[in-house]
Amino acid sequence: MAGGTPAHPGSGPAATLPAVAPRPTLRDVASAAGVHPATASRALNEATRDLVRPATVAKVRAVAKSLGYQVNPIARSLKTSRSETVGVLVPDLTNPLFPPIVRGVEDELGGSGYTVLTANTDNDPARTSANFAAMQARQVDGFIVLTALLEDPLMQDAAERGVPMVLVNRLTERLDVSAVAGDDASGIARTVDHLVELGHRDIAHVAGPLTVSTGVVRERAFRESMRRHGLRDDRVVVTDVYSEAAGRTAMLGLLDRDRPTAVVGGNDLLAIGCYDALEETGLSCPDDVSVTGFNDMPLMSRLRPPLTSVRVPQYELGVEAARLLLDRLSGRTVTPRVVLLPVTLVVRGSTAPPPRVGA
Amino acid sequence: MAGGTPAHPGSGPAATLPAVAPRPTLRDVASAAGVHPATASRALNEATRDLVRPATVAKVRAVAKSLGYQVNPIARSLKTSRSETVGVLVPDLTNPLFPPIVRGVEDELGGSGYTVLTANTDNDPARTSANFAAMQARQVDGFIVLTALLEDPLMQDAAERGVPMVLVNRLTERLDVSAVAGDDASGIARTVDHLVELGHRDIAHVAGPLTVSTGVVRERAFRESMRRHGLRDDRVVVTDVYSEAAGRTAMLGLLDRDRPTAVVGGNDLLAIGCYDALEETGLSCPDDVSVTGFNDMPLMSRLRPPLTSVRVPQYELGVEAARLLLDRLSGRTVTPRVVLLPVTLVVRGSTAPPPRVGA
DNA sequence: TACCAGGCTGCATTCGTTTGCAAGGACAGC
DNA sequence: GCTGTCCTTGCAAACGAATGCAGCCTGGTA
């Protein structure tokens, strides 16, 4: 495999560099084509190419291709203060929810020649702010933000300074920027409907952190749905982070008090935590307690039992966010838009009718 | 949520920009501190700060802080032709195997002030090559490559041109570059040992593509392990991509011929595909056929049944790769090193003794 | 034939930093 | 007291591309 023996036994460890041919510069192209660098620049640039005589354009382009010329994005950025780069702030790529979104962003943006800079913030405002600043220093043209807090001074401030950005999944209150998310409220409503139809009455909710929009929106939707069915809406445990551990703890707390027959998880990770708690206490899902998730991350259909969850079109979320940002960057659209993508409830093995009371 | 009503009802849609204060430049700092820009540059730069009188350094730094000065990485890159950025080439972030590795890379590199540029190649040489070139144009200082083919002209070429890079997980033959991977051979050996101990004799292998090192190394290790136990080593089906679909197809093929009592999957996705095939044909895992995976991706312990798999320290793989690259970039180390990290077999519910023949 | 208008192209500056070179000052040694 | 040597700092030229402005040439018109 790699590194067994050097490819070139003779050449020492990079002692004499093979005199790497320097990339041709615009000046090289110009002189080879017999024109001024300024002309070459205009000929190569799509926006200015019609300032140049067609014959000259052709010549310059031919020479550029034969020399293998590529613009130096660094130099261009310095001059134009743009970078054809957008920054993506994501809580944690290790959370299976995010990679599909990021891929959607990358694919869509890549198609328009943009490069993507990703950073993990671990929900830490300090890291978020540091990464944000670093990306701004690198002249990113805009941001795709998956980490927005409900009250987010950083984003608020950036938005007011006119920084182009699009929020994804997690939104912010009273903020005049474009955003795209799944229709969380309707997803929760469908979930509650489903459980009620199965016969459940004692339904609890393990809510995500109320510092992010997904947490409050889903929690509010849960309460409303329950009231709509004339059921108690106060069986809610709030967690402070979307994680399996938090879900487990919350569920143990619920089981300790009056055990519900069904639990609506704030997201899939919390639901998995509920599985853990049930297993520890010797209860069965779905025989004793039904559990539902949210997002329908990859592999959710293969859990034990397969998780009933709300499918959110993650990839499309990313694609749509990228589109909104592109619109904004191209100057076409200037008024912010909020897009809610439809979600669907996927019923699997983790939900079943409640156990018979008399049994 | 976002976009309900504008934060500033009065201000039109970004009609009059609030005259964003331009970032202070080095010149601003210099004149505010009463020194020449060159001096300011030296004072701010860690490497050159001892060329400047301590009192001057202090003054410049104070002024810089009060002005909120930050170097412009673009301008610096243009001058130094370095960028404090490294490129990461990954097949597909959506594959749960990779995010932990990438996070390891980001965390380690970020600690040294480097920024990470990620690109998905989808195992497509054309996309790989395009991304590679784009990153080089952006002056990345080095590469972390998770996409290497066993025979990889692109990487070969880059390595010979002296481009700093580290291969992760997938290695390349006869290539004199640093690399880090799990000890695949030993992982497979342990797996086969385990199955043999359980009593299996008819063991098959669903191998990954033989175009990447993981495919051939694991396949070779499988054959050797089988021979070591005096068993048939020719029950191997080779797939052309690591995916659930490929695993399913391969498994169906195996079941069609003489059914083995155990299958060693080339990785977890292939193993999951085997689950599918078994379920379709009405067979039970592990009662009829035992199945094992490789990598032990997140959630593997929660599958139905929980998957016996070889745990590879993914995050550490990324960290170690980043370290090797940092060493190379700092000029400390110049001779390539290949690091194999130890792996462990995690036994779960997908492996059991073979069914009784007479039964 | 002379003049004017456009269409193309060249010139020079600029973006913000880094860095080789040189000049200035201070201090010590003789 | 003069010269030599550091130690600091300033000067100016890059890095590679974009762009306002000016000038050239051509063609059309009076």
Side-chain angles (χ1 to χ4, degrees), chain A residues 238-319:
Chain A
V238 177
T239 61
D240 57 352
V241 54
Y242 282 119
S243 73
E244 289 148 276
R248 173 179 162 278
T249 307
M251 187 65 173
L252 288 176
L254 278 173
L255 295 176
D256 225 32
R257 300 198 288 275
D258 56 336
R259 182 206 310 174
T261 64
V263 175
V264 174
N267 81 352
D268 293 336
L269 289 177
L270 292 177
I272 292 176
C274 294
Y275 278 16
D276 290 344
L278 288 172
E279 195 172 330
E280 281 175 38
T281 43
L283 292 170
S284 153
C285 171
D287 293 339
D288 297 312
V289 181
S290 289
V291 174
T292 70
F294 206 107
N295 285 334
D296 196 25
M297 303 189 312
L299 297 177
M300 291 303 100
S301 63
R302 301 179 180 279
L303 295 186
R304 185 182 39 164
L307 182 66
T308 293
S309 185
V310 175
R311 162 132 185 67
V312 177
Q314 307 164 107
Y315 184 85
E316 289 74 16
L317 238 50
V319 169

Side-chain angles (χ1 to χ4, degrees), chain A residues 25-26 38 41 69 76 79:
Chain A
T25 153
L26 190 56
S41 168
Y69 171 77
R76 172 181 297 191
K79 184 65 182 144

Side-chain angles (χ1 to χ4, degrees), chain A residues 309-345:
Chain A
S309 185
V310 175
R311 162 132 185 67
V312 177
Q314 307 164 107
Y315 184 85
E316 289 74 16
L317 238 50
V319 169
E320 187 60 29
R323 288 217 186 102
L324 289 177
L325 188 61
L326 284 174
D327 279 355
R328 172 75 165 71
L329 291 179
S330 69
R332 264 173 289 169
T333 312
V334 60
T335 54
R337 289 201 303 145
V338 176
V339 179
L340 288 193
L341 265 39
V343 301
T344 52
L345 179 69

Side-chain angles (χ1 to χ4, degrees), chain A residues 5-318:
Chain A
T5 47
H8 300 302
S11 71
T16 48
L17 295 167
V20 175
R23 323 174 62 81
T25 153
L26 190 56
R27 219 197 301 296
D28 298 334
V29 174
S31 68
V35 300
H36 192 271
T39 306
S41 168
R42 284 188 274 253
L44 262 12
N45 231 310
E46 221 41 68
T48 49
R49 81 179 273 182
D50 47 353
L51 292 176
V52 177
R53 188 158 50 101
T56 311
V57 172
K59 183 171 47 171
V60 171
R61 298 210 157 196
V63 171
K65 185 186 293 183
S66 79
L67 259 52
Y69 171 77
Q70 278 182 233
V71 298
N72 181 329
I74 307 276
R76 172 181 297 191
S77 288
L78 180 58
K79 184 65 182 144
T80 62
S81 12
R82 284 177 298 99
S83 64
E84 306 274 88
T85 296
V86 322
V88 175
L89 294 173
V90 47
D92 177 14
L93 263 187
T94 279
N95 180 334
L97 167 64
F98 299 116
I101 301 181
V102 173
R103 278 236 53 178
V105 170
E106 288 196 3
D107 288 355
E108 183 68 16
L109 246 29
S112 297
Y114 279 85
T115 299
V116 172
L117 219 48
T118 320
N120 299 87
T121 68
D122 286 325
N123 294 316
D124 175 356
R127 287 193 61 167
T128 308
S129 154
N131 282 312
F132 193 88
M135 286 176 166
Q136 281 218 107
R138 282 198 150 73
Q139 308 269 40
V140 298
D141 299 336
F143 288 90
I144 303 255
V145 179
L146 285 76
T147 61
L149 301 174
L150 202 56
E151 296 276 343
D152 201 321
L154 177 63
M155 294 306 144
Q156 190 91 25
D157 180 59
E160 282 168 11
R161 291 203 332 265
V163 177
M165 57 186 212
V166 175
L167 269 31
V168 185
N169 196 36
R170 301 183 178 179
L171 312 185
T172 290
E173 277 181 337
R174 288 190 312 274
L175 189 50
D176 194 27
V177 301
S178 283
V180 35
D183 187 350
D184 286 11
S186 119
I188 291 291
R190 291 292 132 66
T191 304
V192 172
D193 291 351
H194 164 65
L195 291 171
V196 170
E197 265 170 41
L198 285 174
H200 291 276
R201 295 293 174 268
D202 299 330
I203 309 177
H205 178 40
V206 173
L210 300 185
T211 49
V212 297
S213 69
T214 53
V216 310
V217 169
R218 292 173 196 169
E219 192 253 9
R220 193 182 306 154
F222 172 77
R223 300 193 119 106
E224 280 171 12
S225 301
M226 291 296 282
R227 283 198 300 273
R228 187 161 41 80
H229 286 289
L231 299 174
R232 273 182 60 187
D233 72 340
D234 59 348
R235 285 191 152 109
V236 173
V237 184
V238 177
T239 61
D240 57 352
V241 54
Y242 282 119
S243 73
E244 289 148 276
R248 173 179 162 278
T249 307
M251 187 65 173
L252 288 176
L254 278 173
L255 295 176
D256 225 32
R257 300 198 288 275
D258 56 336
R259 182 206 310 174
T261 64
V263 175
V264 174
N267 81 352
D268 293 336
L269 289 177
L270 292 177
I272 292 176
C274 294
Y275 278 16
D276 290 344
L278 288 172
E279 195 172 330
E280 281 175 38
T281 43
L283 292 170
S284 153
C285 171
D287 293 339
D288 297 312
V289 181
S290 289
V291 174
T292 70
F294 206 107
N295 285 334
D296 196 25
M297 303 189 312
L299 297 177
M300 291 303 100
S301 63
R302 301 179 180 279
L303 295 186
R304 185 182 39 164
L307 182 66
T308 293
S309 185
V310 175
R311 162 132 185 67
V312 177
Q314 307 164 107
Y315 184 85
E316 289 74 16
L317 238 50

